[in-house]
Amino acid sequence: MIPRTPFSTLRTLLKWALLLGLLSGCRAFPISLLVPNETLDALETSEYVEKLDPDEMDSLLAERFGLETSAAPKKPPGVHRLDFTPESGPHRAEKLNSAYHPATAGLHSGDLLLAKNGRPQSLGQTLTFKKFTYYSHMGILAREGGRFYVFESWPQLHLLAATDNFAARFRGGVQKVSFNEFLERYETVEVVRLPQRIFGADIGERLVAAAKESLDENIRYDPHHDPDDPAMSCSEYVSYLLEDKLGYTLALSRRQVTENTSMRRLLSSLGFRTDAYVVPEAYRELPQAQAIALLSHQPSLAAHLGKFYAYQALHEHFVANSSISSYLGIHPLRLVRYRTNVEDFVNRAILYAETQGSENPEKLRRDLRVMVELFFRRKDS
């Protein structure tokens, strides 16, 4: 948790920070107080036109893809169970704490939760790796009586901490939270089950028991994903439970960080210098592991696939073409934002997927690989 600070002291600090920002004329204030100039430089300029003519894009997308964008429906908020037929939702997240709710049917203790947040920073996480990687956090589902909880290694951002780099501001550790708190944090959660033929029929119960014991071990969160640091990221924590406490040998694959110079420069400026990470998807890639459920704030499986394949298309475009600053820019309060053309593409991709449905995901993937090119026009062309 963020250390308690008297409100009057915090208010005084904010007033001084505001005054200093105004006097210095620093760009992207107040985030510029937390990150070095190298970070601002790395995200300053796009090679592409950000603000495309909306009428021209509407006409082009209608002609090329038959996409009518004028009547995008508003969706009620809530969590949807997208692997069901028919899909189920929306449900209030707090209702899904119950193990007896229809939308939590089939979920068991020890299931792994692979999570993706819906904010622009999640695109930065995807573009960090050579291989396309979607999920960026994970936890362990636990059932106690009739309720679900989650064990995870999770940080909070400490704005007032004195640190050597921005990454070190993320501090936390292993915790147990209600399922709804976990669901409310993330846009999409994929549930993965470890294979009983390899880990034993009681792997879920034993994994949760190990997680409960770990609450007394004062395990700190590792924002740098350093394998030599005794602190642990979310995925390192699950590996610790399975290997160190339960005695399995996992041989998890590690995702290599991209060699893209612009991204390397950005990551280094923020304090992220590890060359390869154990990512949540490494657990889904274990032999015979099964994805058994999909919960999302996206209103349909088609919409989820639209976001997923939009990110995949952006990853391919980034690898082939450009620098990170052409996809993300500085946001003064939340560090990063989508470039306007990137945000427009993601939104149109989701809408297009909803019009196409989820029956032919391969066609959707191919179409979005073509569509993405329409949203990137070089400034000098």
Side-chain angles (χ1 to χ4, degrees), residues 65-344:
F65 298 96
L67 178 59
E68 300 293 337
T69 60
S70 58
K74 291 206 173 226
K75 314 291 193 320
V79 179
H80 300 253
R81 182 74 184 264
L82 300 183
D83 58 297
F84 279 175
T85 304
E87 297 163 10
S88 172
H91 306 285
R92 290 167 53 192
E94 60 267 26
K95 295 292 185 181
L96 303 188
N97 287 331
S98 171
Y100 305 110
H101 193 284
T104 61
L107 305 187
H108 296 162
S109 267
D111 286 341
L112 304 182
L113 307 176
L114 280 53
K116 182 69 168 177
N117 75 55
R119 296 180 292 277
Q121 71 194 55
S122 69
L123 177 60
Q125 292 161 342
T126 288
L127 300 184
T128 293
F129 299 101
K130 285 184 182 180
K131 181 178 178 181
F132 175 66
T133 304
Y134 194 65
Y135 295 106
S136 52
H137 183 63
M138 70 181 304
I140 301 165
L141 188 67
R143 177 174 173 170
E144 294 184 5
R147 296 182 69 79
F148 282 123
Y149 298 88
V150 178
F151 291 92
E152 60 179 346
S153 181
W154 190 77
Q156 289 184 322
L157 178 62
H158 287 231
L159 296 176
L160 302 181
T163 63
D164 294 332
N165 53 65
F166 183 77
R169 293 184 180 278
F170 289 92
R171 297 179 179 179
V174 171
Q175 63 178 13
K176 174 186 175 184
V177 298
S178 62
F179 191 28
N180 77 284
E181 181 178 334
F182 191 89
L183 289 172
E184 286 166 354
R185 264 194 253 134
Y186 298 100
E187 181 178 86
T188 297
V189 174
E190 184 173 319
V191 184
V192 171
R193 183 161 297 158
L194 293 171
Q196 293 185 358
R197 290 182 60 183
I198 296 175
F199 292 92
D202 60 346
I203 181 57
E205 290 76 11
R206 289 188 294 121
L207 180 57
V208 168
K212 288 179 181 177
E213 289 181 3
S214 75
L215 290 176
D216 297 325
E217 298 177 27
N218 193 30
I219 298 171
R220 296 178 296 108
Y221 178 79
D222 174 20
H224 301 99
H225 301 264
D226 182 353
D228 297 323
D229 190 329
M232 300 177 197
S233 68
C234 60
S235 50
E236 290 171 332
Y237 169 60
V238 177
S239 174
Y240 164 72
L241 295 179
L242 288 168
E243 295 192 309
D244 292 64
K245 294 187 76 68
L246 297 181
Y248 293 101
T249 301
L250 298 181
L252 292 166
S253 62
R254 302 178 71 86
R255 285 285 199 279
Q256 293 293 319
V257 171
T258 179
E259 295 176 355
N260 181 280
T261 302
S262 68
M263 176 59 91
R264 285 278 189 162
R265 186 163 54 245
L266 174 62
L267 293 172
S268 179
S269 74
L270 293 170
F272 299 105
R273 300 187 178 95
T274 305
D275 289 329
Y277 297 0
V278 173
V279 299
E281 273 142 306
Y283 292 87
R284 190 177 61 188
E285 295 166 358
L286 289 172
Q288 302 179 46
Q290 288 184 303
I292 56 104
L294 187 66
L295 298 104
S296 182
H297 291 270
Q298 291 288 354
S300 66
L301 179 59
H304 161 70
L305 291 174
K307 181 74 171 283
F308 182 90
Y309 288 127
Y311 267 42
Q312 190 175 76
L314 287 166
H315 182 268
E316 291 178 5
H317 190 274
F318 169 70
V319 168
N321 289 281
S322 195
S323 65
I324 185 60
S325 61
S326 292
Y327 303 84
L328 297 172
I330 283 287
H331 188 287
L333 297 176
R334 295 191 292 269
L335 180 59
V336 296
R337 64 174 179 87
Y338 289 124
R339 291 291 180 186
T340 305
N341 58 315
V342 171
E343 183 174 22
D344 196 16

Side-chain angles (χ1 to χ4, degrees), residues 4-44:
R4 292 185 180 274
T5 304
F7 179 73
S8 59
T9 303
L10 181 59
R11 184 170 57 189
T12 300
L13 288 170
L14 291 173
K15 283 182 177 178
W16 276 108
L18 178 60
L19 178 60
L20 288 171
L22 292 174
L23 290 176
S24 65
C26 56
R27 53 182 173 160
F29 176 80
I31 196 65
S32 56
L33 299 177
L34 303 177
V35 300
N37 285 335
E38 290 82 0
T39 301
L40 304 181
D41 293 341
L43 293 172
E44 187 163 27

